[in-house]
Amino acid sequence: MKKVKKVIALAAAVFCATASFAQNGLTVRAGGNFPVGTFSKGDATDIALVNPESLNGGAAIGFNAGVKYQLGVLGNIGVFGSVDFFYNGLNGEIKEVWRDIKEDLTIPSYMNIPIMVGANYTILDIIGTTLWVEAGAGANFRSITKSEGSLDLGPASASSESSYDLSTTLAWQAGIGVSLDNTITLGLHYYGFGSSEIKGETINKGSLAGIGGEFKNEFTSGKLNPSMVVVRLGYTF
């Protein structure tokens, strides 16, 4: 009987600790990402995609969407796990220059998918409105969409297609936010996705008077280190 009472008491304590954490549940969230540092810099000839010596990304403002599950563990402290999707195209200046060279060029874009775990702390809780901070770390999977272009000169034609390898790096984030009525959340975060080289394969095809050929070439270009400030809105179920 004493053991049963201890188990009940422990369960009650865990329930109370969990219940006191205002953000329990699944949060669906989305917002904008604003590239910073080298990820936001560069021009048409000075980005890591085309220049092996460059560390610049030339990224434009993008968007993100994801889910986070959080659980209170003790008082104002909670833990969370999250999966998010981040998309950033290249900035308008780079696109304009590249399309002046090849009108039908398919311009690559950046996609990052971080999977993280971390901890939350509720700083302030006033009648359902909470102020919180959080930090987390995990793995980021970086993907770059294909680049394609062609040139037709009558009897001669050529096309090129570049595909990029998936890259996995260590990522981290830190943020602060407000939760309204324990349901609507507004967060401001900084994400660092880690540095890695851009690798891939280019396939060049050409023909002259109906006779053609195909050439494949593996390449290693510059290093990319995506980092960004993120603003997003969420709904907790």
Side-chain angles (χ1 to χ4, degrees):
M1 188 66 181
K2 288 183 178 180
K3 289 184 179 180
V4 174
K5 288 182 178 179
K6 287 182 179 180
V7 171
I8 294 174
L10 179 60
V14 171
F15 175 78
C16 290
T18 301
S20 67
F21 187 73
Q23 298 182 72
N24 277 334
L26 180 70
T27 300
V28 178
R29 55 194 187 173
N33 12 304
F34 303 85
V36 295
T38 56
F39 192 47
S40 66
K41 297 178 180 179
D43 55 37
T45 60
D46 184 22
I47 59 172
L49 284 169
V50 296
N51 185 347
E53 303 299 322
S54 180
L55 301 175
N56 297 325
I61 295 172
F63 66 87
N64 67 85
V67 294
K68 178 175 73 171
Y69 184 78
Q70 48 213 355
L71 180 68
V73 293
L74 183 63
N76 291 347
I77 300 173
V79 295
F80 71 87
S82 64
V83 180
D84 293 282
F85 171 81
F86 290 80
Y87 176 90
N88 294 85
L90 294 179
N91 67 50
E93 182 181 344
I94 294 174
K95 288 182 178 180
E96 184 177 351
V97 172
W98 285 10
R99 284 185 173 140
D100 282 344
I101 300 172
K102 289 184 179 181
E103 290 185 2
D104 67 339
L105 181 66
T106 302
I107 296 176
S109 299
Y110 304 116
M111 294 182 290
N112 290 279
I113 303 175
I115 300 175
M116 296 189 177
V117 294
N120 312 69
Y121 181 77
T122 300
I123 300 173
L124 187 65
D125 186 346
I126 302 176
I127 317 176
T129 298
T130 61
L131 175 67
W132 48 267
V133 292
E134 70 175 32
N140 178 60
F141 301 90
R142 188 204 69 211
S143 176
I144 302 173
T145 60
K146 286 183 178 181
S147 173
E148 298 176 278
S150 61
L151 185 64
D152 191 349
L153 299 175
S157 63
S159 65
S160 177
E161 176 185 298
S162 295
S163 57
Y164 304 89
D165 296 346
L166 181 70
S167 173
T168 306
T169 54
L170 178 66
W172 65 277
Q173 70 98 350
I176 186 170
V178 176
S179 176
L180 305 175
D181 196 27
N182 298 331
T183 304
I184 305 298
T185 62
L186 177 64
L188 175 66
H189 305 257
Y190 180 90
Y191 275 79
F193 291 129
S195 176
S196 63
E197 290 181 322
I198 295 176
K199 297 182 179 182
E201 180 183 70
T202 297
I203 301 175
N204 295 301
K205 298 178 182 180
S207 66
L208 178 62
I211 301 174
E214 179 177 295
F215 307 93
K216 295 183 179 180
N217 177 51
E218 293 185 352
F219 64 86
T220 299
S221 194
K223 281 188 175 182
L224 201 62
N225 186 14
S227 55
M228 56 191 77
V229 173
V230 174
V231 179
R232 61 188 167 205
L233 191 65
Y235 183 87
T236 302
F237 296 90

